[in-house]
Amino acid sequence: MKKYLKHDEWCIIEEGFNPDFHKSSESIFSLGNGKMGQRANFEESYTGPTLQGNYVAGIYYPDKTRVGWWKNGYPEYFAKVLNAPNWVGIDVKIDDQPLDLYTCKTEQFKRVLNMREGYLERQFVATMDGDKKIEVSTRRFLSMADTETGAIRYSVKPLNFSGKIAFYPYINGNVKNEDANYDETFWNILEMEAHQGEAYLVSQTKKLDFRVGFGMKYSVSLNGELLGLPQEIVKKENWVGNRVETMVNQGDSLSIEKIAGVTSSLNYSPDELLKATKEVTDYGFNKGFDKLFEDHKKCWVEKWVHSDIRIKGDIEAQQGIRFNIFHLHQTYTGEDERLNVGPKGFTGEKYGGSTYWDTEAYCIPFFLSTAPAEVTRNLLIYRYKHLQKAIENGEKLGFKNGAALYPMVTMNGEECHNEWEITFEEIHRNGAIAFAIHNYIRHSGDQQYLVDYGLEVLVGISRFWSQRTTYSKNLNKYVILGVTGPNEYENNINNNWYTNRIAAWCLKYTMEAIDRVKALNPARYDEILAKTNFNSKEELSRWSDIVNNMHFPYDEDRQVFLQQDGFLDKEQRLATDLDPAERPINQYWSWDRILRSCFIKQADTLQGIYLFEEEFDMETIKRNFAFYEPRTVHESSLSPCVHSILAAKIGNIEKAYEMYLRTSRLDIDDYNHEAHEGLHITSMAGTWMSIVEGFGGKRVYDEKLFLSPVIPQQWEEYAFRITFKGNDLEVKVNASEIEIISHADNTIELSVFDKEVSIAPKQSSIVPLK
């Protein structure tokens, strides 16, 4: 772990500059607003190790897959989130010497990510040649109110001399991706334009013809008074900007305010993109830094009202949960159904910025309870619009009759993952997409979604499971062979318990959904049957037979579900037996050694117990947790949250708290030594789940809300808000009682410790803590 950041309830604070930590800090201090985002790269030139990153939502590149061999059905490309042209740059020269924190002496360095108001700030003192000291302060943000606008305020004060200070604000199209398979660059620069005080650049992806426009306008002031300085236009290859220079006396402060406009062909006609970029840039510049920031802050206030979790008595835990919630909001706002939640968000290149099953399994529970229903609905519609592509993916692997296999990784519905064992084998992702439909409906009560969209998706998914399942005469059971479960430290196994379990559930739920749609809207039911060419008698008969006769590996002696056939043939060791110097094992062991071991990357069998918890008694949950958690190395960011939730369920609060700290501070403290690559955005939703579903005991069964809170001994009190069927509730928990406060206009019925509670509008109810 790297514990170099200060503890604070609302801020991430780095004091003192260490270049060895810089790439990790670039990730941790990242900014975003759902439409664009950027790593915390310095505005001024920096020649030390850095991962430059400036990203525009929905813009990607199909980088040709690079493998040593090819198999039928293999994806032709791996989608890359593109490092886009850099608009944050402001090079600085002091008496003609470039400011560069890698080469000059730096003192009093402080970097702050203010999560309450959504901005990044830096202060430092740098010593230049001739022992000239300057004090620098910066602030920047990506507007949540004006989502095509970013703003920077950058100030320099000479402390012990008077001299020339030059600013070079620019837009740089000479960018590349660190993870390019063939060291390609991915952009063409179509247009560059510069005038005094402004510059513009329009770029085009070399494939797919995405276009993005960047504009900047700026002003320079001395001690708060605007200056009318000469502005030199500077143009280089794929680089456009200005140069402005003036003499500054000791103790005076020279500031530049740079406003950027960023547009894309997702929202504008390519022919109108330069014009639109100029209009957006003009709008932001005329509005001004202070008014832009004021409106931006108001958006963050509203977001925190509905999603903040307050913890008293544990500043480390408080900082962790707010950090996770903050980055979730920066990544996805739910305003555009074409977008989704990338595993790294706007913080790095790894995983390509694509959509994984993480969205359905982890992010949807967060948005269901903290955002308007249409936010989650848009995530589901995203998958509905990809249904035909999922059917085509199935066809590539030999499936027929409308069988839909949703991709493990996608930008547009096509599979684009570059590891065969994931592409072909990790098919449990289909189940997560089906479960998300169920989860949305039981939380929102929106049965119409099932009628309009959901049933078609469920039929496609169930057809896949029906064809992927085979009947074993040896077992007299249905089996699913050659898979990888959520535990990716296993490949090509037979009868992964979780995969079999969720496959059977999908078939059963789809049959129930068919009956529900038939009752709700017979005409639409007939339309879907015709559209999907559904053979109700034959298909339903097979689905029912699979549900009733699926094989689920089980060990009678231990009375636990087995992760897969043959799991007990492995040498049974515990994670505590491992040499700490070899952790994480994925960075020290060969892949062969990992596959032969019993060690589990993330919740697998326990993932199924978490999803279908109501079907198991407490002793069953305890036995399986006691068997699997000690064998789990938690080397997936998605692992600690599920274990935290189940540990709280079985009363192991110490373990639940340990796992909560791990998931909430995974990136802040860099548990897995990979924060420099970007943050684990989708698992951040799991951190929220650890508190609300874990300690808060929130469950929804049969469209009814249940709470059964517990509290860690480290906390004096905690509180969260959730939305259920459009009703807003606040829950406060301390060592003696639970207070439930209604912010709704309707009476709310729920169960607390299996006791029925009714809360009138704007009223509250107090229940003793068990």
Side-chain angles (χ1 to χ4, degrees), residues 229-352:
L229 297 173
Q231 297 159 325
E232 178 186 344
I233 295 169
V234 183
K235 283 188 176 182
K236 307 175 188 177
E237 184 180 5
N238 300 331
W239 191 105
V240 62
N242 276 193
R243 174 184 177 274
V244 60
E245 181 180 270
T246 189
M247 286 293 298
V248 181
N249 292 325
Q250 179 179 338
D252 286 346
S253 180
L254 185 70
S255 300
I256 181 171
E257 290 183 0
K258 179 180 179 181
I259 308 299
V262 180
T263 63
S264 85
S265 55
L266 290 178
N267 303 307
Y268 299 94
S269 164
D271 295 337
E272 298 292 320
L273 197 58
L274 180 58
K275 177 185 175 184
T277 304
K278 290 181 176 181
E279 290 173 351
V280 169
T281 307
D282 282 343
Y283 172 82
F285 185 75
N286 293 332
K287 193 170 183 178
F289 186 97
D290 290 333
K291 185 63 170 72
L292 285 168
F293 186 58
E294 180 184 336
D295 292 347
H296 170 71
K297 283 197 301 184
K298 289 177 183 177
C299 291
W300 273 110
V301 167
E302 184 66 18
K303 288 183 182 296
W304 284 118
V305 164
H306 296 285
S307 62
D308 189 24
I309 291 178
R310 304 186 303 278
I311 300 171
K312 288 186 179 180
D314 189 343
I315 194 169
E316 191 174 24
Q318 178 68 86
Q319 183 184 46
I321 186 60
R322 283 184 173 144
F323 176 76
N324 285 261
I325 293 170
F326 174 76
H327 276 290
L328 283 164
H329 283 311
Q330 289 201 129
T331 303
Y332 184 75
T333 62
E335 296 169 1
D336 190 337
E337 65 189 33
R338 297 170 298 177
L339 303 179
N340 210 285
V341 188
K344 294 293 183 189
F346 298 119
T347 72
E349 300 172 5
K350 193 174 181 181
Y351 304 125

Side-chain angles (χ1 to χ4, degrees), residues 31-39 53-61 80-87 142 147-149 171 175 177 187 201 203 205 210-215 261-268 273 277 330-331 336 338-340 342 345-348 352-354 411:
L31 294 175
N33 66 6
K35 192 169 281 187
M36 60 178 168
Q38 57 194 213
R39 289 170 59 81
N54 186 51
Y55 311 107
V56 180
I59 305 301
Y60 68 97
Y61 186 86
K80 305 284 191 189
V81 60
L82 289 188
N83 180 20
N86 171 24
W87 61 263
L142 299 180
T147 54
E148 293 174 323
T149 302
I171 304 169
V175 294
N177 270 52
W187 294 99
L201 181 149
S203 57
T205 58
F210 288 118
R211 301 188 186 192
V212 183
F214 300 87
V262 180
T263 63
S264 85
S265 55
L266 290 178
N267 303 307
Y268 299 94
L273 197 58
T277 304
Q330 289 201 129
T331 303
D336 190 337
R338 297 170 298 177
L339 303 179
N340 210 285
F346 298 119
T347 72
S354 304
M411 283 289 196

Side-chain angles (χ1 to χ4, degrees), residues 355-380:
T355 301
Y356 283 62
W357 68 288
D358 307 19
T359 293
E360 284 74 21
Y362 299 90
C363 296
I364 277 181
F366 170 76
F367 290 114
L368 272 174
S369 291
T370 63
E374 56 264 26
V375 171
T376 302
R377 206 173 200 267
N378 278 345
L379 286 172
L380 298 180

Side-chain angles (χ1 to χ4, degrees), residues 93-96 132 158 160-166 245-250 254:
K93 289 188 178 180
I94 309 299
D95 286 336
D96 298 323
K132 297 174 182 176
N160 63 352
F161 72 101
S162 298
K164 290 187 302 181
I165 297 178
E245 181 180 270
T246 189
M247 286 293 298
V248 181
N249 292 325
Q250 179 179 338
L254 185 70

Side-chain angles (χ1 to χ4, degrees), residues 357-583:
W357 68 288
D358 307 19
T359 293
E360 284 74 21
Y362 299 90
C363 296
I364 277 181
F366 170 76
F367 290 114
L368 272 174
S369 291
T370 63
E374 56 264 26
V375 171
T376 302
R377 206 173 200 267
N378 278 345
L379 286 172
L380 298 180
I381 289 174
Y382 176 92
R383 294 293 194 178
Y384 173 78
K385 289 186 172 181
H386 289 174
L387 176 58
Q388 186 54 45
K389 289 287 188 182
I391 292 171
E392 292 171 11
N393 288 335
E395 289 172 349
K396 290 176 183 177
L397 300 186
F399 297 94
K400 302 175 182 178
N401 191 34
L405 175 59
Y406 276 90
M408 186 67 181
V409 176
T410 193
M411 283 289 196
N412 64 358
E414 293 178 310
E415 177 63 75
C416 58
H417 200 285
N418 60 357
E419 297 176 15
W420 68 268
E421 67 273 16
I422 305 299
T423 301
F424 297 153
E425 295 186 355
E426 204 162 336
I427 55 176
H428 65 83
R429 67 215 191 218
N430 250 15
I433 291 164
F435 192 86
I437 295 171
H438 163 64
N439 210 11
Y440 168 71
I441 292 171
R442 68 178 177 175
H443 277 81
S444 67
D446 183 7
Q447 300 288 342
Q448 192 61 39
Y449 181 82
L450 195 63
V451 174
D452 294 341
Y453 305 105
L455 182 56
E456 288 183 56
V457 172
L458 292 170
V459 167
I461 288 173
S462 289
R463 281 173 161 169
F464 169 82
W465 288 124
S466 178
Q467 294 178 42
R468 188 63 170 79
T469 303
T470 55
Y471 187 75
S472 166
K473 292 183 179 179
N474 181 49
L475 294 173
N476 290 322
K477 294 283 185 179
Y478 286 94
V479 296
I480 302 179
L481 309 177
V483 302
T484 295
N487 172 25
E488 292 171 341
Y489 288 175
E490 303 276 5
N491 292 160
N492 201 35
I493 59 174
N494 294 333
N495 295 307
N496 171 254
W497 184 88
Y498 172 75
T499 302
N500 288 19
R501 185 68 189 78
I502 203 162
W505 176 88
C506 285
L507 294 166
K508 185 173 184 290
Y509 181 63
T510 303
M511 290 189 287
E512 294 170 356
I514 288 170
D515 291 340
R516 195 177 308 172
V517 171
K518 185 176 182 179
L520 290 170
N521 192 328
R524 174 61 177 153
Y525 168 79
D526 290 338
E527 180 185 340
I528 293 171
L529 260 60
K531 182 178 180 180
T532 60
N533 194 27
F534 189 73
N535 186 330
S536 57
K537 183 177 181 180
E538 181 178 324
E539 293 192 68
L540 290 176
S541 175
R542 177 171 170 81
W543 294 0
S544 180
D545 197 35
I546 293 171
V547 170
N548 293 327
N549 294 286
M550 180 69 83
H551 170 55
F552 300 108
Y554 186 76
D555 179 58
E556 294 287 352
D557 292 339
R558 295 172 178 81
Q559 293 187 293
V560 296
F561 307 118
L562 290 181
Q563 183 176 272
Q564 74 251 6
D565 287 350
F567 183 76
L568 292 178
D569 293 338
K570 294 171 175 281
E571 179 187 5
Q572 295 300 310
R573 299 173 62 198
L574 306 183
T576 52
D577 298 333
L578 290 165
D579 181 349
E582 296 184 351
R583 302 285 299 273

Side-chain angles (χ1 to χ4, degrees), residues 155 210 295 325-326 370 459 474 628 631 634 646 717 732 742:
S155 302
F210 288 118
D295 292 347
I325 293 170
F326 174 76
T370 63
V459 167
N474 181 49
Y628 284 108
R631 290 165 172 77
H634 301 293
L646 290 177
E717 179 181 296
K732 294 181 179 180
S742 170

Side-chain angles (χ1 to χ4, degrees), residues 14-18 42 44 92 94 97-111 121-129 131-138 154-161:
E14 178 183 7
E15 293 182 347
F17 180 61
N18 184 341
F42 293 159
E44 72 277 0
V92 179
I94 309 299
Q97 181 191 354
L99 174 62
D100 180 348
L101 268 62
Y102 192 62
T103 59
C104 69
K105 181 183 176 183
T106 305
E107 302 170 275
Q108 301 174 40
F109 180 93
K110 187 175 184 179
R111 177 163 27 190
E121 201 167 57
R122 273 190 305 145
Q123 297 90 35
F124 60 88
V125 172
T127 303
M128 312 297 287
D129 289 350
D131 200 34
K132 297 174 182 176
K133 293 182 181 291
I134 59 170
E135 180 183 270
V136 176
S137 62
T138 75
Y154 194 106
S155 302
V156 180
K157 179 190 292 186
L159 296 179
N160 63 352
F161 72 101

